């Protein structure tokens, strides 16, 4: 069979006009059919991967992946016309033994083989058995989760089961810009070391797979089996509908529910997030009606049949952008037995410093309706940096913990950040609780999850000091990864200001300041390193630290390309990307006004953790 095929191929090649054929690895045939249409044939697939060259500045072409005449996939991809920025693998293992055809429609005629060398993507297609995911990026974080390659945005479907934390995410396997939404998957035994898993959910005929969530169906309410993992997500086709898939192998592979969609709302709606409401013996699902700036609350006995119970949000909080990625959960109040309901709503644009941000509302939920404690004009943000979005929680976390992870980027520039092999990382995991501030209101605490302590490597401690306007510099211990945790306490009265500066040998610096007069904590990244890729990147983020004590605790996590600041145990959180060309090596403290008393400063190096590697 094989010999016959290759003889036939040779015969076809010798008959074809020269303009139709290109030099490629054996096993690939290029059919140059029309100015905007090329077909690629891979008869009787044997290899594991087809490596496709991508050039990000090129317009997006469309590939229909056809195996034995059946349409299997539809891919949007910036095929290289000149030099490839990188290659992406089309996983052929699903098509072994089949005859594969890629029907490629380009948007103009510049790629045709008739134009000779310009059609480099077709000439460079390569069959391979491996795809090398060794890190090639200087700015890849050393201890934050990133995809091994390709684009990532929102965390999706996070759940915990049998000692493993599952993190799915909005993923483009065919380039490092947003496209082809699919659920990528990583798992972790400890919330800090992540292993890349095979793609979990691919687009269907109903659309690409946008954000959603997943639960462990402990009582088999849906009938897919006890402890089946049930995911509900947006299928983004001509309209956005909500569809379901289930897994009976612990979240590795999913089967689409045959009667999808399970919710079809008549307005643009997405990002379903759901949980078991034990008090009312029902499932509760929140969905955003994105353009109406409100959420829809649905209930269901079985995850398949959903009833719209109420809506919330009209006129509440920030209405400046579309509402996305909701999460409704009951959260403990620190130092009491009380619990309150928190509704997280991510919005874009309209964040406090432009672009994307996560707002939240505190209130009550009676099984049908969410009632907000604060009047409509009150807006609260979970994190006052620019790079904390699409934040949602894990289901089934041990001890009913409310553990969340954010996408550490901002739609204003997420597609432009200076990495190529992959784009975007997640924040560290954070555990949520509420605290009652002196104004009698409840606010959210976002504290690094306890597991994060295990990241600590060697400790260097600097004694307590009174910091004057001349300042005091501390040499950070050498860390090959540029990863540190810094922690200290300081007393900053209302006539004092404390600057906290991280800098490197090139004079790049991130400047933080706590102003005791208005309790304002700020972070300026305008000289932090590479900032030129977007006009929206450079600048200052700031917020008032809630409370009225003059003593503040600071905890900073610095990685290759990010900083997460937690003030007073997470009463204020601020997450920002940074792209220093060399790791920051110096911490400088400086005061304005009378000297500032700073308690001992602890600096831990953070050793490299497992970055997800490999296409398994
Ligand atoms: C938020 C979001 C979601 C959507 C997804 C698409 O960042 O826009 O609303 O489901 O990204 O990737």
């Amino acid at each position: 069979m094989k010999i016959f095929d290759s003889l036939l191929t040779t015969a076809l090649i010798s008959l074809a006009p020269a303009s139709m054929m290109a030099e490629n690895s054996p096993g690939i045939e290029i059919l140059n059919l029309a100015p905007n249409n090329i077909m690629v044939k891979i008869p009787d697939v044997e290899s594991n991967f087809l490596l496709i060259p991508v050039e990000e500045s090129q317009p997006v072409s469309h590939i229909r992946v056809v195996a034995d005449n059946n349409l299997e996939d539809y891919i949007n991809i910036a095929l290289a016309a000149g030099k490839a920025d990188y290659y992406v693998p089309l996983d052929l293992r699903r098509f072994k033994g089949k005859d594969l055809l890629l029907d490629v429609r380009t948007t103009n005629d510049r790629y045709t083989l008739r134009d000779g060398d310009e059609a480099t993507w077709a000439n460079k297609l390569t069959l391979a058995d491996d795809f090398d995911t060794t890190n090639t990026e200087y700015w890849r974080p050393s201890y934050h989760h990133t995809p091994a390659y390709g684009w990532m945005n929102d965390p999706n479907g996070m759940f915990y089961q049998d000692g493993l934390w599952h993190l799915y995410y909005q993923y483009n396997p065919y380039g490092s810009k947003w496209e082809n939404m699919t659920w990528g998957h990583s798992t972790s035994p400890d919330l800090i070391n992540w292993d890349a898993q095979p793609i979990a959910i691919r687009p269907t005929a109903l659309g690409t797979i946008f954000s959603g969530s997943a639960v462990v169906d402990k009582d088999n309410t849906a009938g897919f089996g006890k402890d089946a993992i049930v995911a509900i997500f947006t299928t983004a086709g001509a309209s956005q509908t909500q569809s379901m898939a289930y897994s009976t192998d612990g979240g590795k592979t999913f089967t689409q529910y045959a009667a999808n969609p399970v919710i079809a709302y008549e307005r643009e709606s997405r990002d379903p997030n759901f949980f078991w409401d034990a008090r009312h013996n029902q499932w509760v699902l929140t969905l955003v009606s994105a353009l109406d700036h409100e959420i829809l609350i649905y209930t269901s006995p079985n995850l398949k049949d959903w009833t719209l119970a109420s809506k919330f949000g009209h006129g509440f909080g920030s209405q400046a952008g579309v509402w996305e990625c909701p999460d409704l959960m009951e959260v403990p109040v620190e130092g009491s037995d009380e619990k309150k309901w928190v509704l997280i709503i991510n919005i874009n644009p309209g964040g406090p410093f432009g672009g994307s941000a996560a707002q939240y509302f505190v209130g009550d939920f009676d099984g049908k309706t969410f009632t907000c404690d604060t009047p409509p004009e009150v807006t609260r943000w979970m994190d006052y940096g620019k790079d904390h979005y699409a934040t949602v929680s894990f289901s089934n976390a041990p001890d009913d913990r409310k553990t969340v992870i954010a996408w550490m980027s901002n739609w204003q520039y997420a597609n432009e950040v200076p990495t190529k092999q992959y784009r975007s990382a997640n924040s560290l995991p954070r555990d949520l609780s509420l605290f009652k501030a002196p104004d009698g209101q409840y606010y959210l605490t976002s504290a690094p999850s306890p597991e994060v302590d295990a990241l600590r490597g060697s400790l260097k401690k600097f004694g307590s000091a009174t910091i004057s306007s001349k300042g005091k510099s501390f040499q950070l211990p050498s860390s090959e990864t540029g990863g540190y945790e810094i922690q200290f306490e300081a007393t900053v009265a209302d006539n004092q200001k404390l600057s906290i500066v991280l800098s490197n040998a090139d004079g790049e610096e991130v400047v933080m300041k706590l102003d005791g007069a208005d309790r304002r904590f700020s972070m300026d990244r305008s000289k932090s390193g590479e900032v030129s890729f977007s006009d929206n990147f450079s600048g200052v983020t700031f917020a008032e630290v809630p409370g009225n004590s003059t003593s503040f605790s600071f905890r900073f996590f610095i990685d290759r390309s990010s900083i997460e600041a937690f003030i007073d145990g997470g009463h204020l959180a601020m997450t920002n990307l940074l792209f220093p060309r060399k790791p920051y090596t110096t911490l400088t403290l400086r005061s304005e006004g009378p000297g500032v008393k700073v308690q001992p400063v602890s600096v831990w190096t953070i050793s490299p953790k497992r970055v997800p590697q490999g296409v398994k």
Side-chain angles (χ1 to χ4, degrees), residues 185-509:
H185 185 200
S186 295
T187 53
S188 171
D190 54 14
L191 272 177
I192 50 176
N193 288 289
W194 293 98
D195 292 308
Q197 302 294 346
I199 285 171
I201 307 182
R202 291 176 189 275
T204 70
L206 273 68
T208 51
I209 311 298
F210 274 18
S211 288
S213 58
V215 296
V216 180
D217 187 12
K218 293 182 178 168
D219 296 325
N220 192 17
T221 61
F224 302 130
K226 184 174 157 32
D227 292 330
I229 307 304
V230 179
I232 302 183
F233 42 80
T234 302
T235 23
S239 299
Q240 298 184 348
T241 56
Q242 319 312 318
S243 295
M244 177 159 76
Y246 60 93
S247 168
T248 52
D249 60 6
K252 276 200 200 90
T253 58
F254 282 81
T255 306
Q256 293 285 334
Y257 173 54
N260 279 332
V262 290
I263 298 177
Y265 186 67
E266 64 274 13
R267 303 269 297 152
E268 185 174 312
S269 57
R270 57 179 175 271
D271 309 342
N273 195 294
F274 59 111
F275 61 94
W276 178 248
D277 170 12
R279 234 167 267 153
H280 305 97
N281 216 26
Q282 60 178 359
W283 294 100
V284 174
L285 179 147
T286 51
L287 184 69
V288 291
S289 182
L291 308 177
D292 301 323
H293 315 288
E294 60 182 1
I295 60 151
L296 313 169
I297 301 182
Y298 288 84
T299 58
S300 169
N302 58 8
L303 295 167
K304 295 172 176 162
D305 305 304
W306 292 95
T307 308
L308 181 57
S310 69
K311 297 180 182 181
F312 167 80
H314 194 68
F316 272 80
S318 175
Q319 302 267 318
V322 290
W323 281 26
E324 299 187 318
C325 302
D327 196 349
L328 177 61
M329 64 185 95
E330 206 178 13
V331 176
V333 179
E334 286 162 23
S336 78
D337 292 336
E338 203 186 351
K339 284 186 168 187
K340 295 282 294 176
W341 286 84
V342 171
L343 174 63
I344 298 173
I345 303 278
N346 291 274
I347 80 158
N348 177 63
F353 307 103
S356 325
Q359 65 173 326
Y360 70 92
F361 301 93
V362 181
D364 289 306
F365 177 63
D366 63 7
K368 282 198 155 77
T369 309
F370 175 78
T371 319
C372 187
D373 279 1
T374 45
E377 58 275 13
V378 174
T379 304
R380 301 255 180 82
W381 302 104
M382 280 184 86
D383 185 294
Y384 281 86
K386 275 198 82 161
D387 300 298
H388 173 274
Y389 194 56
T391 314
V392 286
S393 62
F394 282 90
S395 351
N396 199 39
D399 307 321
D400 204 23
R401 286 168 59 184
K402 302 303 170 201
T403 306
V404 298
I405 287 188
W407 172 46
M408 207 157 44
S409 200
N410 188 314
W411 280 116
Q412 278 187 332
Y413 43 73
N415 277 285
E416 319 302 331
V417 297
T419 61
K420 282 268 162 79
Q421 183 188 29
Y422 80 97
R423 262 201 199 91
S424 294
N426 289 107
S427 71
L428 286 174
R430 300 166 187 196
D431 277 27
L432 301 183
S433 55
L434 287 163
F435 68 99
K436 212 172 185 170
D439 64 4
Q441 300 289 321
Y442 296 92
Y443 292 83
L444 209 49
T445 303
S446 295
S449 299
E451 285 83 350
V452 164
D453 290 356
L455 288 167
R456 290 173 177 169
S458 61
L459 169 66
K460 190 165 175 186
K461 228 171 168 161
F462 305 99
S464 58
T466 299
I467 304 295
S468 70
S469 57
K470 283 220 300 275
K472 196 170 164 59
S473 289
F474 306 90
Q475 225 35 57
L476 299 172
S478 86
S479 153
E480 107 204 28
T481 62
Y484 301 101
E485 178 190 342
I486 300 175
Q487 192 174 313
F488 61 92
E489 288 176 17
T491 306
V492 188
D494 59 5
N495 58 346
Q496 294 177 308
K497 288 189 180 88
L498 177 67
S499 297
I500 307 158
V501 182
L502 289 162
S503 56
N504 67 14
D506 289 354
E508 294 170 339
E509 57 178 24

Side-chain angles (χ1 to χ4, degrees), residues 32-38 106-115:
N32 184 25
L33 298 171
N36 61 354
N37 184 208
I38 290 176
T106 58
T107 46
N108 55 38
D109 58 3
R110 287 198 300 136
Y111 303 126
T112 66
L113 296 185
R114 293 185 190 99
D115 292 339

